[in-house]
C-alpha cells in the first residue's frame, strides 16, 4: 500500500502539490490523469523519492520512503520517468540487466539472468537484445526501459507516461503487457496517462488531479463521466459506452 | 581473445620502446653483462616505458570515467578545467612550500583539480544546455581562465618553465625514482574499474540511478575524485597528454559501447599503446633530438577528434 500524507511541493512561488493525501491499495493499475501542469509527474516523482516534498510524508507498506535505504527501496519500487535521454551506448540486454542492480550489485546470478530474459521476452525485445539503444526507434527504446523496470522485480512499478513515443499498436501492447504483469505477478502499477481512453479501458482506479490537488478518484465508471471530466479538464467532453467500456470524445 | 592480441601488440611496442633512444643498446652486450647498457636500461628505458604505459592507461580511463559520469562524449580532464586547476595547485605549492615532498604537492594538486571540476559542474548547472558541444566549450573557457591565472603567477615568480613541464607531456626526463607516483594513478584507475557498474549506472542519469537504489551524488563525487587524482599524478610526473582521454574512449565506445566494465580493459590497452607509439615516433622522427609525446598526440589527436565530430554529425543527421 502506498500512502501519501499532506504532500506539498512548490517551485518558486507556484504550488504544484497542494496537500495531497492518497491511499493506493496493493494490486491493480492506477492511472493518474489531469491537464498539463496539474502536478501528476511531480506526484509520481515524490512518491518514488526522485523529488523531495516540502512537507508531508510518503510511505510504502508502512515504511517511510525518505528514510528507507536506497537499495532496499529499489527492490520494492521501480520508477520510470518520461524523457529518458541516454548518452551512454548500451545494448538492450545491458540496459535490462541493470534492472537487476538492486539485487545483484552487478554480479548477475542465474535468477537474474532469468528475470532479464523474461522481461525481454515479455516486451518482445529478444531479437533486439544485442542492438545498441541509439540504433532503436523511439518505441523500441521505450520498451527497453520498461523491460528494465520489470526486470527489477519490484512489487510497485511507477511509470510516467509509458505510452510516450508509442504508436497505436505498441501502445496497446504495452498496456496489455502491464495488465498481464499485474494479474500474473501481482504487481501494483501506478502511471501517469494522457490518453484518458486508455486509462478508462485498462485501469482499476483513476485519480484525477487539477492544480496540485487530487480532485476525484474512483473506478473508470465513476470518473469517466461528462460532469467529472468537465471539472478536470475545463471542457465539454461527451462520454459513450461501447462494449462495456466508457470512451471520452473530445476531438470535435 | 582480441583483447589478448591487443595486449601482445602493446607488449611489442614496449619492447621497441626499450631499445629506442640516443644511446644504443645491444642485446649481446646486455647478455654479456655490460654495465653501461644495463644502467641505461634500468635507470632510463624501463622507467620511461613503464611511465608511458601507466600514464597512457590511467589518463584514458580517467577520460572515459569523466565522459560517463558527466554524460557528455566531449569532455576529458583537459577540457573541463581539471588539468589547469591541478597545475595551479602545483604552482601554489611550489610558491608557498617548495620543499614539500612531491606526494604532498600531488595531493594538493588533486584537491585543486577536484575544485576546478566542481567549478565546471557548477557553471554547467547554471547554463541552459542546448547542444552537446556547449559542455566542452564551457570547459575550454574555464580552462582559459585558470590558465591565465596560472600564467600570471608563474610569470611573476619566474616559473614559466615549470608550468610548461606540467602542461606539455614529455617523457624525456623520466628516470628511475621520478615516475613511481604513476603507480598510484594506475591504482586509482583500477578502482574505477572495480566500481565500473556503479559509474555506468550513474551515467544513466540521476533519476534512473536513484530508481535503481544508487546514491547518485556519492558515486559522482567518487568518480570525479578519481579523475582529479589521476590527473594530478600525471601532471606532476610527466605532464599532461592532450586528447588521449578524449579519442581513446570515443573510439572504444564506437566499437564496444559504454558498458564501463567491458570498456575499461580496452581503453587501458589502447591508451597505453597509443601513448607508447607516439612517444616512440617522437624519439625517432628527429633523432637524436626528441619531439615531446604531447606534441605528437596533439597533432594525431586533434585530427582524430575532428573526424569523430564530423562522423558524429553525419550519424545524427
Amino acid at each position: 500500500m502506498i500512502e501519501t500524507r499532506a504532500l506539498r511541493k512548490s517551485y518558486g512561488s507556484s504550488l504544484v502539490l497542494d496537500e495531497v493525501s492518497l491511499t493506493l491499495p496493493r494490486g491493480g493499475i492506477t492511472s493518474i490523469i489531469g491537464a498539463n501542469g496539474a502536478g501528476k509527474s511531480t506526484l509520481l516523482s515524490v512518491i518514488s523519492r526522485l523529488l523531495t516534498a516540502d512537507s508531508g510524508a510518503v510511505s510504502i507498506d508502512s515504511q517511510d520512503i525518505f528514510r528507507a535505504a536506497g537499495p532496499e527501496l529499489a527492490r520494492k519500487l521501480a520508477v520510470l520517468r518520461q524523457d529518458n535521454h541516454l548518452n551512454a551506448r548500451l545494448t538492450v540486454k545491458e540496459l535490462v540487466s541493470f534492472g537487476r542492480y538492486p539485487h545483484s550489485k552487478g554480479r548477475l546470478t542465474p535468477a537474474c539472468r532469468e528475470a532479464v530474459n523474461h522481461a525481454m521476452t515479455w516486451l518482445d525485445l529478444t531479437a533486439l537484445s544485442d542492438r545498441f539503444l541509439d540504433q532503436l526507434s523511439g518505441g523500441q527504446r521505450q520498451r527497453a526501459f520498461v523491460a528494465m523496470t520489470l526486470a527489477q522485480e519490484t512489487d510497485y512499478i511507477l511509470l510516467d507516461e509509458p505510452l510516450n513515443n508509442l504508436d497505436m499498436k505498441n501502445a496497446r501492447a504495452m498496456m496489455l503487457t502491464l495488465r498481464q504483469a499485474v494479474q500474473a505477478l501481482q504487481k501494483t502499477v501506478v502511471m501517469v496517462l494522457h490518453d484518458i481512453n486508455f486509462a478508462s479501458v485498462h485501469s482499476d482506479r483513476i485519480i484525477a488531479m487539477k492544480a496540485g490537488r487530487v480532485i476525484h478518484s474512483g473506478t473508470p465508471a465513476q470518473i469517466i463521466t461528462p460532469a467529472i471530466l468537465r471539472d478536470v479538464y475545463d471542457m465539454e467532453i461527451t462520454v459513450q459506452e461501447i462494449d462495456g467500456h466508457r470512451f471520452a470524445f473530445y476531438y470535435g | 581473445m582480441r583483447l589478448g592480441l591487443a595486449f601482445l601488440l602493446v607488449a611489442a611496442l614496449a619492447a621497441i620502446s626499450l631499445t629506442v633512444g640516443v644511446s644504443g643498446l645491444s642485446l649481446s652486450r646486455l647478455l654479456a653483462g655490460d654495465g653501461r647498457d644495463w644502467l641505461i636500461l634500468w635507470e632510463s628505458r624501463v622507467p620511461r616505458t613503464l611511465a608511458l604505459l601507466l600514464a597512457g592507461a590511467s589518463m584514458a580511463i580517467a577520460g572515459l570515467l569523466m565522459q560517463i559520469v558527466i554524460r557528455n562524449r566531449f569532455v576529458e580532464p583537459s577540457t573541463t578545467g581539471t588539468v589547469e586547476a591541478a597545475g595551479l595547485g602545483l604552482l601554489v605549492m611550489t610558491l608557498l612550500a617548495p620543499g614539500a615532498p612531491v606526494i604532498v604537492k600531488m595531493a594538493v594538486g588533486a584537491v585543486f583539480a577536484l575544485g576546478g571540476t566542481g567549478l565546471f559542474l557548477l557553471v554547467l548547472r547554471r547554463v541552459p544546455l542546448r547542444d552537446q558541444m556547449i559542455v566542452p566549450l564551457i570547459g575550454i573557457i574555464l580552462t582559459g581562465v585558470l590558465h591565465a591565472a596560472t600564467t600570471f603567477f608563474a610569470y611573476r615568480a619566474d616559473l614559466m618553465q615549470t608550468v610548461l613541464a606540467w602542461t606539455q607531456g614529455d617523457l624525456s626526463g623520466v628516470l628511475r625514482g621520478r615516475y613511481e607516483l604513476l603507480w598510484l594513478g594506475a591504482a586509482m584507475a583500477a578502482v574505477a574499474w572495480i566500481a565500473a557498474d556503479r559509474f555506468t549506472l550513474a551515467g544513466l542519469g540521476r533519476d534512473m540511478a536513484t530508481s535503481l537504489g544508487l546514491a547518485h551524488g556519492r558515486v559522482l563525487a567518487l568518480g570525479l575524485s578519481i579523475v582529479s587524482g589521476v590527473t594530478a599524478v600525471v601532471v606532476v610526473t610527466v605532464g599532461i597528454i592532450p586528447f588521449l582521454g578524449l579519442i581513446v574512449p570515443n573510439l572504444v565506445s564506437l566499437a564496444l559501447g559504454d558498458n564501463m566494465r567491458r570498456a575499461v580493459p580496452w581503453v587501458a590497452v589502447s591508451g597505453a599503446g597509443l601513448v607508447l607509439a607516439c612517444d616512440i615516433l617522437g624519439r625517432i622522427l628527429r633523432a637524436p633530438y626528441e619531439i615531446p609525446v604531447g606534441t605528437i598526440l596533439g597533432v594525431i589527436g586533434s585530427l582524430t577528434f575532428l573526424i569523430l565530430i564530423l562522423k558524429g554529425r553525419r550519424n545524427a543527421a
Side-chain angles (χ1 to χ4, degrees), chain B residues 112-196:
Chain B
F112 269 71
L114 195 57
T117 319
L119 187 64
F120 170 67
L121 289 182
L122 218 62
V123 177
L124 268 195
R125 234 173 245 181
R126 297 182 170 258
V127 178
L129 297 175
R130 292 202 184 79
D131 192 295
Q132 283 271 302
M133 289 313 243
I134 301 277
V135 174
L137 284 178
I138 290 172
I140 288 167
I141 294 169
L142 182 64
T143 301
V145 174
L146 287 168
H147 183 74
T150 310
T151 309
F152 175 77
F153 291 115
Y155 187 75
R156 304 208 102 189
D158 204 13
L159 284 168
M160 288 301 285
Q161 287 273 345
T162 319
V163 171
L164 196 66
W166 293 329
T167 49
Q168 181 148 87
D170 183 4
L171 282 96
S172 54
V174 170
L175 294 171
R176 195 157 65 88
R178 285 210 204 149
Y179 82 99
E180 283 76 0
L181 212 49
L182 284 171
W183 286 105
L184 185 62
M188 290 190 265
V191 173
W193 192 22
I194 294 167

Side-chain angles (χ1 to χ4, degrees), chain B residues 22-250:
Chain B
V22 178
S23 348
L25 281 187
S26 91
L27 195 59
S28 55
R29 261 179 303 170
L30 280 172
L31 287 177
D34 183 296
R36 192 197 69 97
D37 277 26
W38 274 105
L39 186 74
I40 290 170
L41 186 69
W42 200 240
E43 294 291 327
S44 160
R45 298 289 166 75
V46 169
R48 180 170 191 160
T49 305
L50 281 175
L52 284 163
L53 290 171
L54 294 171
S58 39
M59 268 322 271
I61 293 175
L64 173 72
L65 181 54
M66 194 161 215
Q67 284 155 27
I68 285 181
V69 297
I70 295 188
R71 306 183 71 200
N72 187 293
R73 282 257 78 94
F74 302 113
V75 295
E76 69 133 12
S78 61
T79 61
T80 53
T82 314
V83 166
E84 296 295 333
L88 186 60
L90 294 176
L91 182 68
V92 166
M93 283 308 280
T94 311
L95 288 172
L96 299 182
V102 69
I103 185 127
V104 175
K105 287 184 180 164
M106 187 289 279
V108 173
V111 170
F112 269 71
L114 195 57
T117 319
L119 187 64
F120 170 67
L121 289 182
L122 218 62
V123 177
L124 268 195
R125 234 173 245 181
R126 297 182 170 258
V127 178
L129 297 175
R130 292 202 184 79
D131 192 295
Q132 283 271 302
M133 289 313 243
I134 301 277
V135 174
L137 284 178
I138 290 172
I140 288 167
I141 294 169
L142 182 64
T143 301
V145 174
L146 287 168
H147 183 74
T150 310
T151 309
F152 175 77
F153 291 115
Y155 187 75
R156 304 208 102 189
D158 204 13
L159 284 168
M160 288 301 285
Q161 287 273 345
T162 319
V163 171
L164 196 66
W166 293 329
T167 49
Q168 181 148 87
D170 183 4
L171 282 96
S172 54
V174 170
L175 294 171
R176 195 157 65 88
R178 285 210 204 149
Y179 82 99
E180 283 76 0
L181 212 49
L182 284 171
W183 286 105
L184 185 62
M188 290 190 265
V191 173
W193 192 22
I194 294 167
D197 283 330
R198 262 157 242 241
F199 294 127
T200 312
L201 257 187
L204 299 181
R206 197 187 73 91
D207 286 348
M208 218 173 271
T210 309
S211 169
L212 291 166
L214 192 79
H216 182 259
R218 241 182 287 162
V219 173
L220 188 69
L222 173 66
L224 294 179
S225 304
I226 292 177
V227 170
S228 302
V230 170
T231 303
V233 162
V234 173
V235 168
V236 79
T237 47
V238 297
I240 208 64
I241 305 162
F243 287 105
L244 184 67
L246 206 54
I247 59 172
V248 170
N250 269 294

Side-chain angles (χ1 to χ4, degrees), chain B residues 265-291:
Chain B
W266 277 101
V267 167
V269 169
S270 319
L274 183 63
V275 175
L276 257 177
C278 287
D279 190 62
I280 293 171
L281 204 61
R283 279 183 262 173
I284 295 171
L285 280 179
R286 290 180 63 215
Y289 305 104
E290 280 198 19
I291 303 172

Side-chain angles (χ1 to χ4, degrees), chain A residues 4 7-11 14-18 20 32 37-54 58 66 81-82 158 160 192 209 212:
Chain A
T4 74
L7 286 179
R8 279 176 81 88
K9 172 84 187 171
S10 49
Y11 294 117
S14 67
L15 195 59
V16 275
L17 289 183
D18 187 2
V20 175
I32 307 176
K40 308 180 298 288
S41 294
T42 307
L43 176 62
L44 203 78
S45 297
V46 171
I47 291 177
S48 51
R49 53 97 168 70
L50 298 181
L51 267 183
T52 48
D54 299 336
V58 180
F66 287 105
R81 304 235 359 216
Q82 49 178 332
L158 274 53
D160 196 350
V192 173
M209 291 187 73

